[in-house]
Each structure stands twice: as structure tokens, then as C-alpha cells.
Amino acid sequence: QTSLSIWGWGSLGLVLFLVTFGPFAIFYFAFYILCFVGGGFVVTLLFGKSNSEKYLEQCEHSFLPCTSVGIPKCIEEMKREARPIKIDRRLTGANIIDEPLQQVIQFSLRDYVQYWYYTLSDDESFLLEIRQALQYALVQFSARSKETDWQPYFTTRLVDDFGTHLRVFRKAQQRIAEKGDQMKDQAEELVDTFFEVEVEMEKEVCRDLVCTSPKDEEGFLRDLCEVLLYILLPPGDFQNKIMRYFVREILSRGILLPLINQLSDPDYINQYVIWMIRDSNCNYEAFMNIIKLSDNIGELEAVKDKASEELQYLRSLDTAGDDINTIKNQINSLLYVIKVCDSRIQRLQSGKEIDTVKLAANFGKLCTVPLDHILVDNVALQFFMDYMQQTGGQAHLFFWMTVEGYRVTAQQQLEVLQSRQKDGKHQTNQTKGLLRAAAFGVYEQYLSEKASPRVNIDDNLVAKLAETLNHEDPTPEIFDDIQRKVYELMLRDERFYPSFKQNALYVRMLAELDMLKDPSFRGSDDGEGESFNGSPTSSINLSLDDLSNVPSDETVQLHAYISDTGVCNDHGKTYALYAITVHRRHPNSEEMWKTYRRYSDFHDFHMRITEQFENLANILKLPGKKTFNNMDREFLEKRKKDLNAYLQLLLNPEVMKASPALAHYVYDFLENKAYSKGKGDFARKMDTFVNPLRNSMRNVSNAVKSIPDSLAEGMTKMSDNMGKMSERLGQDIKQSFFKVPPLIQKTYSDPDHCRVAAPIDDNVDDNIPLRVMLLLMDEVFDLKERNQWLRRNIKNLLQQLIRATYGDTINRKIVDHVDWMTSPEQVADAVKRFRDAFWPNGILAETVPRRDKAIRMRTRVAGKTKLLEVMPDELKHIIGAETTRKGILRVFEMFQHSQLNKRMVYVFLERFLETLFPQNKFPELFNKLHSRSKQMQRYKQRLHSTQAPSLQKSLLVSHIRLLMHL
């Protein structure tokens, strides 16, 4: 009803409106409203315009500049021609350095910035700002370099870092050898182990991420370059982020990263080594030694392929006359090289590689070195001394050497005394008193009843000597009769020299003397005829295939393997039992049986044969014990496999031939009967612990007592009057025994877990550079690890000789060489080499394609051959041929891993910046940059886990003490 009323009233109103005003009233009403709105808009516009004009008239004299003047002036400035900007080209103050440096800057901007910048803009102001920033940084860098003393860096820190790097590499190799895991990638495992050792030695930093991850390496270089720009650039330029980022990328990715990659490339290092010793000719003997000692199948295959290629070429030649004989000799040599490579490759692939030095210990085809030669050769004497200490005969050897030293010194002092008497000077009583004291000291130490140990010699000779000492003046020949008897005793007694020739130390001595291949001693002390019974091929350098070609008289062949395993329970004791199937073949028959052995039987057998045959200790590796879960089926199968490998290596024909007496122990162990054990584990462990301790204490006592205090004092006083040096090195060695360095030195840290120069960092000495280089010799040739007491004495003697005679001269030459290296001429030459390497003929060098693997492998062989060829004979005579060879090859092998080379380059770079900016705390900065190292994090976790129990234990002890006190 309401809606109807609304519609009704509305309709009525509309009808009345149309009746009253007409049908066009609606259009008139709309027109009136439009006019009203338009009039209001016009009035508002006119009012606003008038008010705006009045406001602009008021602001005409305000602070705003007049736009009608500024715009034309800006246009006028833009239309003017660009004026050339003069740049100061002086950088270092030396024109010979500034010129190549300016070229490097120009080439860098051209190849890294201009080629894309000109596509965006033609304005060169940005390029000029970058150039000025680089030049300013170089000027600051040059100023810092001139203020820095580079002598400690090149003579101490650089050598220390290299020696430390070599020590880490050596320890990593030792750990891998101890693991003995052949399944993993050796190169990758070596890198991981290297950085594990590094973090243990450095303790605060590890560079594994920078050296192994390209992404982290780029980030490290960016951060380092940004820090350098912060130090070298003005604050205003450094705050310009765009320019700073450009300069940072040019330095890090354009210069530093390619340079570091090239310096750490093993192939580049090998080529550089060959270039450095290019004047040396390759020796065929050194080349064959490298082939026979190589453990890299890639090297052997590369050499074999090249030899086969040369062989085909020679066979294709059509020659006649004298040339055909030359070609035949070359073909035979190539065939021999191919044969050696094939033999070596087969040996490495089969995994049956055995140290031929250890096998040669009982091989029997060795030359004989006379005892008198051993006593005057410093290398041979060291091994004979080790053997005499093992047999308890060191007193005889020390007595003989002490008497030799006494004779030489007494003769020299008497000659000096005679010359002084001719000049009218009288010191007869003093000199003779010193000689008498020295002679009495020798007698009391070795021949008296109180001597311990006492030299067992004819009592009549000893009594005669005592009578002479009491009633006559001592002469240089006073001990000659007894010394001759002692020499004959060492020569004839089966405990000494005869047994030494059958010992493994004798083979090692021959290897160090380089006589396993080219013997120089043909005579014999005890009247033997031909002292060298083997062919020239019976050498340390031969492979096992060469040794296996020697005919054998053995007609019995023994084969054994573990066929099954099980678990037995005997009176409550559970243990594993291994069934061994044994085959013994005779010429006309064959036997087979089974015997059963426990792991403890294997362990006892292993201990027994390694005690009897020392050369087997490093060849045979028995699987380790396991205390818990040692009866699991999986573990028993693994141990069965390992024991089978142990048996196969034990029954290897080469091992059996090398130790003929070993067959008796093997037959006894494999017989089908109950195995009778020898010493118990406890007794054997006690012998293992007590005997070396007893021998060590005896050796220390003998070494300390071998030179009486009076004799040492007399020799010290008489050393000032020494007029000449001994003609033979053997006499120098004997004289060195009069000043024996202590065998046990006081150390406060493990030298194997600290830097090379750490022990002398706090010692201010003018000869520190020379001393660090002598310490480096220990790292290269591994002298400290070999327990070579005599060799250490020789090195100490050489150190004293160099310091006493040529130490200052050598030190001065080292300083002069460092000054020459940092001279403007050498720096300019280094910059030019850098420029020519990256921009040959002014053009950016393209990325050099990686050389073929075969070429790189042959380069490695050539590099090692060159290094062995230039090895001086004097070094062999002082240190030993085998030790020198291993040391040089170890250094060469260290450079064959790019990740490790990068580590060394970054260490050198860090030390360089620490030396250049000593006040900027770069060590803390590098620790932070390397803080994300995974090895470092694992090391901290291990350190925390080892320290936590000790901390808990100390807290527990303190609580217990507190409770006891209460």
C-alpha cells in the first residue's frame, strides 16, 4: 500500500508540472543548472590568475636564480671543445719502472673497461678518474715499498714459509702411508690430509677453501683488493662505489687471479724448472732411474708411447754403412725403455709393489765395502755406528774414533809447539799437560777397570799402556797397538763387521753410497776374492721383475689361502677360527692339507718373523686388532680378506728368495698341527719397551762419556792455535767428536708441529738468514726424522765451519743479492715480464689451451731427470745419495698439486702484505678471511672435545678436594 501511494503521488506531481509549464520545461531546467556551474568555474579561474600574478611579482627579487640566464650558460659550456687533461705519469720515481707500469695501466683499462664503456658514453672523465685512482694507489704502494726493509722477508720469512710448506707436505705423505688405503684417490686424499696437517701446525688459520673452491678464491681476492684500496686510495675516491668496484674487479679477476693460476700450475712450474737448468744435458742413467722409481702410470705410459713413436720412425729409415749400427743401438735402447715401462706399469696395476731395498737386504748380490773405507766415509760410518749400537759394540767404535781424533790433534799441536820453540816461545809444559790429560781421559773412559762399557782387549797391552802413561810423555802413537787390536776385533768378530754385511743397514748404506748399481770397491779386508757377486742390474733402482729373473734352486712351491672362517666356543671363550688350505708342490708330487689358526696365532707369527727379519717389518702389514664386535660376520669376512692378502704377500717368491731362512718359519706355521707360540704379548711388549730404553740410555751415556771433560777443555783451548785444516773429511768427522752436541736438547714444543724457523725467531743474530737456510736443508732431506746422529754432527760441523770462515761473507752476499733483487732494474724487468706475458706485442694474450696430458707427463719426467742430473756429488758424499735423491724428488712431487701450489702462493702473498703494511694488522685480517674453513671448524671441534673431559676432570677433582676438606 505504501509503494502504491508513492507512485500515485509522484505521477500526480509530474502531470501537474507538465500541465502548468508545458512539455519543454525539463530542458529549460537542465540548461539553467549548466549555466550556473559554468559561471562559477569562470569566476574561480579569473580570481586564481590574478592572485598568482600578484604572488610572482612579490617573489621576483627572491633567492632563486633566474632560469632565463642559467640554461643558455649550460648550453654554452656543453658546446665548448674538450680540453686535454694532463696526467702526472710519475709513479715510483724511477723512469725505467714507470714506463712499463703506465703501459700495464693503459692495457688494463683498454681491455677491461674501454671496450664496453664507449658503447655507453664518449665522455672520458670516468676513465680518467679510474686511471688517476690507480696511479695514486701505485704511488702510495711505491712509497711503502721504499720504506720497507725487504731483507728479513726474502732471507727469513720466505725460506721459513717454504720450509713449513714442505714440512706439512712431508707429514701428509707420512699419514697417507700409515693409512695404506689404496682404494681412494691418492691426489684428493693428499690434499685433504695436507690441510689437516696445516691446521694442526698453524692452529689459527687454514687455507683449504681458498685453494680448493674457485668461488671462495674469487671472494677472498675481492675482499683483499678492497682492503688494499681502502689503505691506498684517498677517502673520497674510496667512497665512490662504482669506481671502487671497477678497480677491485680489474685487480682481482683481471690481474691477480690469472697470475696466481699460472704460478700454481704444475706444468708451468715443470717447464720453468727445465728452463732454469737448460744448460744441463739429460743423462740416460738418471732417466732410467726415474722410470724405474716412478709410481705414476701416466708418466710411464707417456714415455712408452713416445718411445714407440720414435721406434717406428727409426725402423722406417733406409740406412746403410756405419749409420745402421747407430740406429740398431738406438732401437735396442728404445726397446729396453719400453720393456721397463711395461714391467713397471704391470707391477703398479697389480698392486704388488714392494720396496726393493728391503728385499735386497737378504738377496746376497751385493758388493763389499772394506771396513777401513767405512771408518773414513761419513755416510757409511753413520750406518755402521747404528749397527754397532744395536749389537752393543759401540764402545769399540767410539774408542777407535776417539784415538784417531787424539792422534790428529796431538800431531798438530806438537807441530805448533815445535814451530813456537823455533821462534823462542816456550809453552812445552802446558801443551804436554793437556795431551797427558787427554790421554788419561781416553784411558779412563774405555780401558780402565771403572770404564762402562769397557773395551775388551788384551790385559797385557792395557797394563803396558798404563805404565807408559805414568812414566813417559804422551805421544800421538801411544794408543796405536790397542787401536790396531780393536780394529782387528771389529773386522774379524762375527758380531760386528761380518754380521753388518748381512744386515739391512748394510744395504741402506750401499744405497746411500750409490753402490748398489756401480760398485767402486772391489777389494776385501778379510781376504775374500771377488767382492761384487751380482750383475750391474742388481740395484736399488730395479723393479721386482728384474729380481724375479734370478734363477732359483728352490723346487718346492708353497701356496696357501684361507678357505673358510667360523666362530668357536671353548670353555666359555669365544674366538674366530680360520681354515687355511695349503698346497705344496714337488717336482713329481703334490700335497694338500688344511690347518686352523686363530688371529692370535697370526699375530704371534708376525711378531716372531719381524723380530728375526727386520726387513719384513715394513713389507708385511698384519690387520689390526679389534676389541668390540669382533665376531660380526661382516668383520670376519673383512679380516679373512686382509689375512689372505697377508698370506699372499708372505708367500711371494721374491719375499721368500730375499729371506731364505723365512721358509722354515712359514712351514712351521702352516703345518697341520697345533701352533706353539713364542713369547707372550706382555713379555714381548716389555722387551719392546725396555730394550730401546736401555739402549738409548746406554748410547746417551757413551756419547756423553766418550769425550772426557779434560780432553774437551784441552781441545777447546788448543783450537785457537789450529794452523791448518785436515786433508780428509774423515779426519774432520773424528775431530767433530771432541765437541759432541747434546743428544737430547731442551725443547718446549714439538718441532714437527711448528714452523721451521720458530726455534730461532727470538734469537737476534746477524747470521739468521744463513741459519734458516741450513734448517731448510733438514726439511728438504728429512734429516731430523731419520735419527741420524752422525749426520747431524756432520751438519753441525759444516755450520760451525761456514760461520767461522765464510759465514760473514755468505751473509753479506745474501744481503747484497736481496738488494739486487729489489733494485729498480730488477723490478722494472719483472714488470716488463708481466706485461709481455699478459699483453704480448701490446695485445691481450688469449687463454693458453691446456697441453695434452702425455706432453705434461713427459715434462714431469724430464724435470725430475734434470734435477737428478744437476745434483752435486759433494751433496751425495755429505748426506748420502739415496737421501739426496729422495729429498729432491719429494720437493718436485710437492709442486705437482695445483691446490698445494696455490696455498704456497697465498702464503707468500700474505707475508708480503704483512711486511709491507706492518701497522695494519693483516694477520688478524687473514684469520678472519679464512675463518670459514671447514678444516678449521673440525679442528676446533676436536680441540673442544679433547679439552672438555680434562676440564670436567679438573672440576671433579676440585669438588672432591673440597668435600674432603669439609
Side-chain angles (χ1 to χ4, degrees):
Q1 293 179 359
T2 303
S3 59
L4 290 176
S5 61
I6 294 174
W7 281 102
W9 286 106
S11 301
L12 179 61
L14 179 61
V15 170
L16 293 176
F17 179 80
L18 292 175
V19 172
T20 304
F21 297 103
F24 298 99
I26 297 176
F27 297 102
Y28 295 146
F29 183 72
F31 177 75
Y32 294 153
I33 293 175
L34 182 62
C35 291
F36 177 79
V37 174
F41 179 76
V42 171
V43 172
T44 303
L45 180 63
L46 293 176
F47 180 77
K49 180 180 180 183
S50 61
N51 287 340
S52 298
E53 291 177 351
K54 292 180 181 179
Y55 180 75
L56 289 175
E57 290 178 358
Q58 295 177 359
C59 297
E60 184 177 359
H61 302 287
S62 65
F63 60 89
L64 292 177
C66 182
T67 56
S68 61
V69 179
I71 293 176
K73 187 175 181 180
C74 181
I75 296 174
E76 182 181 357
E77 290 289 337
M78 295 177 64
K79 290 181 179 180
R80 291 181 181 180
E81 295 182 359
R83 292 175 297 178
I85 301 177
K86 294 183 178 181
I87 300 178
D88 189 0
R89 300 179 65 86
R90 295 175 299 177
L91 298 175
T92 64
N95 187 39
I96 57 176
I97 302 177
D98 294 345
E99 183 179 353
L101 268 181
Q102 288 290 349
Q103 293 179 349
V104 170
I105 295 175
Q106 179 182 350
F107 294 155
S108 300
L109 293 177
R110 181 196 66 189
D111 295 327
Y112 294 112
V113 179
Q114 291 180 4
Y115 81 96
W116 59 264
Y117 178 76
Y118 282 142
T119 61
L120 303 178
S121 174
D122 295 332
D123 186 17
E124 295 186 355
S125 59
F126 176 71
L127 300 177
L128 293 176
E129 289 181 1
I130 293 181
R131 189 184 187 104
Q132 288 178 345
L134 288 174
Q135 292 192 173
Y136 184 86
L138 289 174
V139 169
Q140 297 298 319
F141 185 86
S142 174
R144 292 287 185 93
S145 301
K146 294 178 181 178
E147 298 173 357
T148 303
D149 182 14
W150 293 107
Q151 176 187 338
Y153 173 75
F154 285 104
T155 59
T156 302
R157 295 186 180 180
L158 205 64
V159 179
D160 175 28
D161 291 332
F162 178 78
T164 303
H165 186 84
L166 181 58
R167 175 177 292 183
V168 176
F169 179 77
R170 176 167 53 82
K171 303 299 287 186
Q173 281 186 325
Q174 292 176 357
R175 288 195 181 182
I176 292 179
E178 292 173 358
K179 293 179 182 177
D181 191 356
Q182 302 293 335
M183 301 301 293
K184 296 183 179 180
D185 186 4
Q186 290 290 336
E188 182 179 355
E189 186 178 3
L190 177 62
V191 172
D192 295 339
T193 308
F194 179 90
F195 288 110
E196 288 180 5
V197 179
E198 181 197 18
V199 73
E200 294 175 2
M201 187 171 293
E202 298 284 354
K203 292 184 172 53
E204 295 181 355
V205 64
C206 184
R207 303 169 182 85
D208 55 338
L209 284 182
V210 176
C211 299
T212 58
S213 173
K215 182 178 179 181
D216 291 307
E217 183 182 9
E218 293 178 2
F220 173 80
L221 290 176
R222 288 195 187 98
D223 295 338
L224 183 59
C225 291
E226 194 153 354
V227 171
L228 292 177
L229 293 177
Y230 173 78
I231 296 175
L232 299 176
L233 290 181
D237 292 341
F238 182 78
Q239 296 301 328
N240 188 341
K241 291 185 178 181
I242 297 178
M243 185 182 66
R244 184 172 84 237
Y245 291 160
F246 275 123
V247 175
R248 183 192 69 181
E249 292 300 317
I250 291 175
L251 291 177
S252 61
R253 294 179 58 86
I255 297 178
L256 287 180
L257 187 60
L259 180 61
I260 292 174
N261 288 335
Q262 183 177 10
L263 294 177
S264 59
D265 183 15
D267 188 48
Y268 172 79
I269 296 175
N270 297 338
Q271 295 180 61
Y272 188 73
V273 169
I274 296 175
W275 177 82
M276 287 182 62
I277 51 181
R278 59 190 179 276
D279 296 334
S280 172
N281 296 324
C282 287
N283 183 275
Y284 177 76
E285 182 181 353
F287 171 72
M288 293 308 302
N289 288 342
I290 292 298
I291 296 300
K292 294 173 182 178
L293 291 173
S294 176
D295 57 356
N296 190 309
I297 297 180
E299 293 179 1
L300 299 171
E301 290 179 344
V303 173
K304 175 187 172 183
D305 294 341
K306 189 63 177 179
S308 301
E309 180 181 343
E310 292 292 330
L311 184 62
Q312 293 178 0
Y313 170 75
L314 291 176
R315 286 175 172 173
S316 64
L317 295 178
D318 186 11
T319 57
D322 296 335
D323 293 338
I324 192 171
N325 295 326
T326 304
I327 292 179
K328 284 183 177 180
N329 292 334
Q330 294 178 358
I331 290 176
N332 292 333
S333 299
L334 291 174
L335 289 174
Y336 179 68
V337 170
I338 294 173
K339 178 182 177 182
V340 172
C341 291
D342 285 334
S343 173
R344 189 68 180 162
I345 291 172
Q346 292 176 4
R347 178 64 58 183
L348 292 174
Q349 290 177 343
S350 63
K352 297 180 180 179
E353 181 64 18
I354 303 176
D355 193 347
T356 55
V357 176
K358 299 179 178 63
L359 285 179
N362 291 316
F363 197 69
K365 294 183 177 297
L366 304 172
C367 61
T368 299
V369 182
L371 180 59
D372 55 350
H373 287 85
I374 292 177
L375 294 177
V376 298
D377 187 276
N378 56 315
V379 176
L381 183 58
Q382 178 261 323
F383 290 97
F384 186 60
M385 180 180 293
D386 290 344
Y387 176 77
M388 294 294 284
Q389 289 176 349
Q390 293 178 6
T391 58
Q394 68 273 16
H396 300 78
L397 180 59
F398 287 165
F399 171 78
W400 189 92
M401 297 167 63
T402 304
V403 170
E404 282 291 299
Y406 168 82
R407 181 191 300 109
V408 173
T409 306
Q411 289 174 352
Q412 293 176 349
Q413 295 309 308
L414 290 178
E415 291 176 0
V416 174
L417 180 61
Q418 292 176 1
S419 63
R420 289 190 175 185
Q421 287 178 349
K422 293 180 181 180
D423 297 337
K425 300 178 181 180
H426 299 282
Q427 290 183 350
T428 305
N429 295 332
Q430 181 181 0
T431 302
K432 290 184 178 181
L434 291 174
L435 290 177
R436 183 182 297 276
F440 267 107
V442 175
Y443 174 81
E444 291 292 335
Q445 177 63 35
Y446 295 104
L447 302 174
S448 66
E449 297 293 338
K450 299 179 181 179
S452 177
R454 184 173 182 267
V455 175
N456 296 323
I457 206 67
D458 190 1
D459 293 337
N460 293 330
L461 291 176
V462 176
K464 182 179 179 181
L465 174 64
E467 184 70 17
T468 304
L469 288 174
N470 292 327
H471 298 89
E472 298 179 9
D473 292 333
T475 62
E477 299 81 12
I478 192 172
F479 294 101
D480 282 2
D481 294 338
I482 299 180
Q483 186 190 30
R484 192 178 301 109
K485 289 291 184 181
V486 170
Y487 176 83
E488 293 179 357
L489 178 66
M490 291 190 296
L491 178 64
R492 307 295 180 185
D493 196 322
E494 289 295 331
R495 297 174 298 166
F496 303 141
Y497 177 67
S499 298
F500 173 64
K501 293 189 295 183
Q502 307 298 326
N503 193 274
L505 288 173
Y506 185 78
V507 181
R508 291 177 53 195
M509 181 196 72
L510 294 179
E512 294 290 1
L513 296 175
D514 210 12
M515 292 177 58
L516 286 177
K517 174 179 53 182
D518 185 18
S520 58
F521 298 97
R522 299 281 180 169
S524 176
D525 285 287
D526 47 8
E528 295 177 1
E530 182 65 22
S531 59
F532 180 73
N533 300 321
S535 64
T537 58
S538 60
S539 167
I540 177 180
N541 302 318
L542 288 184
S543 64
L544 288 179
D545 298 312
D546 299 320
L547 292 177
S548 62
N549 291 332
V550 179
S552 174
D553 296 331
E554 291 293 333
T555 58
V556 178
Q557 297 181 3
L558 192 66
H559 302 278
Y561 64 95
I562 301 177
S563 56
D564 197 6
T565 182
V567 179
C568 298
N569 192 328
D570 185 15
H571 301 287
K573 294 183 179 180
T574 304
Y575 55 88
L577 202 62
Y578 300 92
I580 306 175
T581 302
V582 184
H583 294 266
R584 182 164 60 184
R585 293 187 179 92
H586 297 272
N588 300 322
S589 62
E590 179 179 355
E591 297 178 76
M592 185 187 72
W593 67 87
K594 282 191 176 182
T595 185
Y596 299 89
R597 295 288 182 259
R598 298 174 55 178
Y599 174 83
S600 59
D601 300 333
F602 277 92
H603 182 267
D604 183 86
F605 170 74
H606 178 76
M607 297 298 293
R608 181 179 296 184
I609 62 174
T610 52
E611 287 177 358
Q612 295 294 328
F613 308 94
E614 296 179 357
N615 57 321
L616 297 178
N618 295 326
I619 297 177
L620 298 174
K621 300 296 182 183
L622 188 69
K625 293 183 178 181
K626 186 177 181 182
T627 306
F628 304 101
N629 298 326
N630 54 6
M631 296 299 164
D632 293 344
R633 192 63 192 174
E634 182 179 356
F635 171 76
L636 292 179
E637 289 297 325
K638 182 179 182 301
R639 174 170 282 182
K640 171 187 171 182
K641 180 179 178 182
D642 295 338
L643 290 176
N644 257 326
Y646 176 87
L647 280 177
Q648 303 314 311
L649 184 58
L650 175 66
L651 297 176
N652 189 294
E654 287 80 13
V655 178
M656 300 295 289
K657 292 176 183 178
S659 304
L662 178 63
H664 170 73
Y665 294 88
V666 175
Y667 291 156
D668 181 69
F669 178 74
L670 296 179
E671 282 290 337
N672 188 13
K673 62 179 182 179
Y675 179 70
S676 59
K677 296 182 179 180
K679 292 183 179 180
D681 288 343
F682 179 78
R684 183 176 283 111
K685 290 178 181 178
M686 289 302 297
D687 289 343
T688 305
F689 173 77
V690 174
N691 290 336
L693 181 61
R694 185 186 298 116
N695 293 334
S696 299
M697 294 302 295
R698 186 187 299 117
N699 296 339
V700 172
S701 176
N702 291 334
V704 174
K705 294 180 181 180
S706 60
I707 307 302
D709 295 338
S710 60
L711 182 60
E713 182 181 359
M715 295 304 106
T716 303
K717 292 180 180 179
M718 290 187 289
S719 61
D720 297 334
N721 301 323
M722 286 280 188
K724 59 181 180 179
M725 295 299 295
S726 176
E727 296 180 355
R728 297 184 305 169
L729 181 60
Q731 294 178 355
D732 290 337
I733 298 167
K734 296 156 195 170
Q735 292 181 41
S736 69
F737 277 92
F738 286 89
K739 292 183 180 180
V740 180
L743 292 179
I744 303 177
Q745 300 180 355
K746 294 182 179 181
T747 56
Y748 300 97
S749 61
D750 185 2
D752 290 333
H753 291 83
C754 63
R755 304 183 63 83
V756 172
I760 62 172
D761 282 343
D762 298 331
N763 186 11
V764 180
D765 190 352
D766 292 338
N767 278 334
I768 279 185
L770 179 60
R771 295 176 63 193
V772 172
M773 290 183 181
L774 292 174
L775 285 175
L776 184 60
M777 187 178 69
D778 284 341
E779 297 303 322
V780 173
F781 300 109
D782 197 9
L783 299 183
K784 293 183 179 179
E785 290 292 322
R786 304 173 70 88
N787 193 22
Q788 297 170 340
W789 178 55
L790 178 61
R791 194 163 297 175
R792 299 290 297 159
N793 289 336
I794 296 171
K795 191 180 71 66
N796 293 333
L797 174 64
L798 293 177
Q799 288 179 354
Q800 295 173 5
L801 180 63
I802 292 174
R803 290 170 183 167
T805 56
Y806 305 106
D808 296 336
T809 304
I810 295 176
N811 190 43
R812 195 181 309 113
K813 288 183 177 180
I814 293 173
V815 175
D816 294 342
H817 187 71
V818 171
D819 294 338
W820 174 78
M821 290 173 58
T822 56
S823 62
E825 293 79 8
Q826 293 302 312
V827 174
D829 187 62
V831 176
K832 290 178 181 178
R833 288 199 301 267
F834 175 80
R835 177 200 62 192
D836 297 337
F838 281 82
W839 290 277
N841 300 322
I843 302 175
L844 182 63
E846 298 181 357
T847 303
V848 179
R850 189 174 178 84
R851 300 201 305 168
D852 184 66
K853 181 181 178 181
I855 299 178
R856 288 186 281 115
M857 291 294 104
R858 287 195 291 269
T859 305
R860 288 182 56 173
V861 175
K864 288 191 285 187
T865 305
K866 286 273 191 179
L867 286 176
L868 286 185
E869 180 63 25
V870 301
M871 183 173 56
D873 293 336
E874 292 79 7
L875 191 62
K876 296 180 184 179
H877 297 157
I878 294 175
I879 301 179
E882 184 65 14
T883 299
T884 306
R885 185 186 301 115
K886 288 183 178 179
I888 291 178
L889 293 181
R890 181 187 299 114
V891 175
F892 186 86
E893 180 64 25
M894 181 183 68
F895 287 112
Q896 305 310 308
H897 305 274
S898 59
Q899 299 94 332
L900 307 189
N901 295 337
K902 280 190 177 182
R903 188 261 178 193
M904 187 166 57
V905 172
Y906 280 116
V907 169
F908 289 164
L909 178 61
E910 291 173 9
R911 296 293 179 270
F912 176 83
L913 295 177
E914 291 174 8
T915 305
L916 189 62
F917 306 101
Q919 70 279 7
N920 291 105
K921 298 181 180 180
F922 265 96
E924 292 82 356
L925 173 65
F926 290 129
N927 290 344
K928 292 181 180 179
L929 292 179
H930 296 299
S931 59
R932 296 188 298 107
S933 168
K934 297 180 180 178
Q935 294 286 355
M936 193 69 196
Q937 295 174 1
R938 286 197 289 264
Y939 174 75
K940 290 182 178 180
Q941 292 176 357
R942 292 197 304 267
L943 190 64
H944 178 72
S945 61
T946 55
Q947 291 179 350
S950 60
L951 180 61
Q952 295 176 357
K953 182 178 179 180
S954 60
L955 292 175
L956 180 61
V957 171
S958 61
H959 290 165
I960 293 175
R961 289 180 178 176
L962 179 60
L963 292 175
M964 293 176 64
H965 178 70
L966 294 176

